[in-house]
């Protein structure tokens, strides 16, 4: 099993929102939706925009540049112009810390 990387204190998570995080040279977006936490690459698969600057509506993140949307649960593209899925990362919240499985 791939290792889990400690990335954040659970009380630093956004509330029903998205934040960007640099982890091991990667740009990761972390989302909370109700009590669930999700993580994907932060850079849009369509162009060079950071999804943490976009708008989270339920499980949908809207890219700030051309308004493409992805489902944060699995990274799948939901509308034009995005067609390539976002890479997603498994998340575990335990003992007040947030862990990601990066590989
Ligand atoms: Fe994200 Fe174009 S850069 S939709």
């Amino acid at each position: 099993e791939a290792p889990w990387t400690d990335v954040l204190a659970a009380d630093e998570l956004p509330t029903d929102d998205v934040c960007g995080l640099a982890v091991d040279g990667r740009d990761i977006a972390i989302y909370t939706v109700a009590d669930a936490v999700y993580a994907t690459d932060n850079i849009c698969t369509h162009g060079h925009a950071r999804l943490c600057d976009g708008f989270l509506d339920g499980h949908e993140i809207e890219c700030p540049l051309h308004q493409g949307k992805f489902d944060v649960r699995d990274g799948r593209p939901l509308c034009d112009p995005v067609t390539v899925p976002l890479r997603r990362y498994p998340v575990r919240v335990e003992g007040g810390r947030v862990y990601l499985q990066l590989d």
Side-chain angles (χ1 to χ4, degrees):
E1 180 178 284
W4 292 88
T5 304
D6 182 340
V7 297
L8 194 70
D11 62 11
E12 293 176 290
L13 282 169
T15 302
D16 288 315
D17 204 354
V18 54
C19 74
L21 203 63
V23 182
D24 290 348
R26 306 181 206 217
D27 197 354
I28 305 276
I30 303 227
Y31 314 85
T32 61
V33 183
D35 288 329
V37 185
Y38 305 97
T40 69
D41 277 337
N42 196 12
I43 304 299
C44 184
T45 59
H46 179 249
H48 203 80
R50 297 180 87 217
L51 296 172
C52 65
D53 297 328
F55 176 66
L56 183 66
D57 181 16
H59 292 104
E60 298 181 6
I61 183 69
E62 183 183 81
C63 177
L65 198 50
H66 310 110
Q67 288 71 51
K69 292 182 185 177
F70 300 92
D71 189 317
V72 302
R73 293 171 291 190
D74 55 11
R76 76 194 152 96
L78 297 173
C79 69
D80 286 342
V82 295
T83 54
V84 177
L86 274 179
R87 181 165 176 189
R88 64 169 283 278
Y89 301 94
V91 179
R92 190 159 87 188
V93 181
E94 205 175 279
R97 303 292 307 177
V98 181
Y99 299 85
L100 300 185
Q101 202 170 31
L102 293 172
D103 288 303

